[in-house]
Amino acid sequence: TCKIVVTTSTSSSSQLRLFDKMFEQEGALGKGITVGKIQVALDALNRGPDSIFAVLEKESARNAGSDDPSELAQLANAVCLALLRRSDEWVGACSDSQWFKWDDAGKAESLYNDWSNREATKFEKEYVPSGGGDADDAPGGPTTVVVSIILEIQGDTTQFEGAGFSIAGTQEVLSSIASDVNVGGGECLNAVEVFWTPGDREEVL
């Protein structure tokens, strides 16, 4: 199962954020910078060429080590769409986010790195697939897969609230990310990482 993360804030902190936003410059996706993450757990019936495993390995291999905004946007978009197409396999989801003003861009990057590092210590596979082998002959049977997407994106309009509370809520978050990462040819996406477990095709979660 995937624990639902609910972020609450006091009225004073909410008022402070509203005050900060009043003086922020408006960009293509709103004001400031948002660091967000979503995790989706789903039941994969197989590990063949049409499975979520195949999509994750293909997209991560295609964009591994790239710092080109359009390629990173393509990675995030493709993974979100792959998850959306498999909504009937979902068994859990959760999401979280935090907004920063432009003057706190360093804090946003620090939080993004912290969340990424925490996921890297938990997940068997980060970004780059093992390579080799034919997906048609892939070992391993049905398993639960947990996919985690962490991103730092400009603006405050990308939707991160609601994943895990309902299928519609999870769909809204994934759709919002998939759409917003492509704005400006990916120029609004500062960074993204994708993790999944199990990473080894022979493992079962």
Side-chain angles (χ1 to χ4, degrees), residues 63-73 127 186-187 189-191:
N63 299 284
S66 174
D67 59 0
D68 182 271
S70 64
E71 293 181 356
L72 294 177
Y127 237 86
E187 292 295 333
L189 180 63
N190 292 344

Side-chain angles (χ1 to χ4, degrees), residues 22-155:
M22 289 175 61
F23 300 96
E24 284 289 298
Q25 182 176 352
E26 189 89 20
L29 291 173
K31 299 181 177 182
I33 302 169
T34 301
V35 177
K37 62 180 177 180
I38 180 171
Q39 291 179 305
V40 178
L42 60 161
D43 285 333
L45 299 179
N46 63 75
R47 310 193 189 194
D50 296 324
S51 70
I52 188 66
F53 284 101
V55 175
L56 291 168
E57 292 177 355
K58 175 184 176 182
E59 294 301 328
S60 60
R62 176 186 298 172
N63 299 284
S66 174
D67 59 0
D68 182 271
S70 64
E71 293 181 356
L72 294 177
Q74 181 183 21
L75 169 65
N77 174 269
V79 173
C80 286
L81 293 181
L83 291 170
L84 283 166
R85 295 187 185 105
R86 293 165 174 80
S87 60
D88 58 334
E89 301 174 8
W90 294 350
V91 295
C94 59
S95 59
D96 196 6
S97 67
Q98 188 169 334
W99 180 84
F100 297 86
K101 56 185 179 180
W102 273 108
D103 287 345
D104 290 333
K107 293 181 181 179
E109 183 178 359
S110 178
L111 179 63
Y112 169 81
N113 290 335
D114 180 53
W115 282 1
S116 296
N117 289 337
R118 290 186 183 186
E119 292 305 316
T121 63
K122 295 187 297 183
F123 283 67
E124 293 293 331
K125 186 70 66 175
E126 176 191 353
Y127 237 86
V128 184
S130 57
D134 189 337
D136 290 311
D137 300 323
T143 183
T144 299
V145 186
V146 179
V147 182
S148 180
I149 305 171
I150 302 174
L151 65 156
E152 179 185 331
I153 190 167
Q154 299 171 22

